Amino acid sequence: MRLFVALDLPWILRERLSALAGAGVPGARWVPPANYHLTLRFIGETPGHRAEDIDIALTGLRARGFSLTLAGVGTFTKGGRSTALWVGVERNPQLDHLQNKIETALQRCGLEPERRRFQPHVTLARLDNVAEGKLVSYVQAHNLFRAEPVPVEHFTLFSSQLGKEASVYTAEVEYELG
Ligand code: 3AM
């Protein structure tokens, strides 16, 4: 199974995001609203026995619920090319704390440490060869985006099946926060 840990998002937020997405960047592959999520840790292809260890470790993790506010838009680039368009997150030490605990729990299960800095975001579109000028305009036009805060009461272990159009994400287990 190909696994990742993420926050799923309430529908009210998915609707807010889908109103932001969908137009203005020709060539963007917009993520279907059902697939919006905030990745806490990408795990990748995992044999069954390790998935079980991961589930046990995540079940044992204790952290408090908190409030999450999505705000701002930005892009990731690789080799000078834009690869993703995303909505950002307001500074949130409790989110960072949760991510940290998950990282520690997964390393104890034998996963290699994640070397990349945690940059919380919700991907709106994947990009290849989009007009950079249009992208800059889009980011400028939407930079003041700020959604209403939403409560985060659980995090989720997802499996992902890669598809031609969009991946199919399945919530395998939800872990309640205190
Ligand atoms: O949360 P976003 O959409 O930024 O791109 C994948 C997606 O990111 C990312 O994990 C999230 C859930 O699928 N992802 C896919 N392969 C990856 C890899 N090898 C990866 N992240 C890190 N390393």
Side-chain angles (χ1 to χ4, degrees), residues 14-174:
R14 291 177 196 263
E15 280 164 8
R16 275 281 268 151
L17 295 180
S18 69
L20 192 67
V25 187
R29 285 179 290 130
W30 298 99
V31 173
N35 277 6
Y36 292 153
H37 63 271
L38 190 160
T39 301
L40 296 167
R41 175 56 141 98
F42 179 77
I43 299 174
E45 209 54 56
T46 312
H49 64 90
R50 176 162 280 175
E52 210 178 313
D53 288 348
I54 288 171
D55 178 41
I56 291 166
L58 294 179
T59 301
L61 189 157
R62 293 281 167 266
R64 308 295 300 216
F66 55 88
S67 169
L68 177 78
T69 305
L70 298 186
V73 294
T75 59
F76 287 142
T77 56
K78 196 175 180 182
R81 284 196 167 177
S82 301
T83 55
L85 172 64
W86 45 259
V87 166
V89 174
E90 274 189 3
R91 203 188 79 83
N92 192 327
Q94 289 165 296
L95 173 66
D96 294 341
H97 179 72
L98 174 62
Q99 189 273 336
N100 222 283
K101 281 202 146 180
I102 292 170
E103 177 63 30
T104 305
L106 294 180
Q107 285 182 22
R108 278 203 223 107
C109 294
L111 271 74
E112 288 297 314
E114 171 62 72
R115 283 185 310 253
R116 297 189 300 186
R117 189 169 64 85
F118 178 48
Q119 286 182 270
H121 65 276
V122 178
T123 300
L124 290 182
R126 304 196 187 279
L127 313 170
D128 25 45
N129 287 318
V130 291
E132 293 290 336
K134 295 265 191 208
L135 191 58
V136 170
S137 307
Y138 181 96
V139 170
Q140 283 173 353
H142 297 293
N143 215 10
L144 293 178
F145 172 82
R146 182 178 186 276
E148 288 299 305
V150 293
V152 174
E153 290 159 344
H154 65 269
F155 64 96
T156 306
L157 180 64
F158 283 95
S159 65
S160 144
Q161 281 171 295
L162 300 180
K164 250 193 223 144
E165 290 295 316
S167 299
V168 177
Y169 300 143
T170 306
E172 298 289 344
V173 191
E174 288 185 354

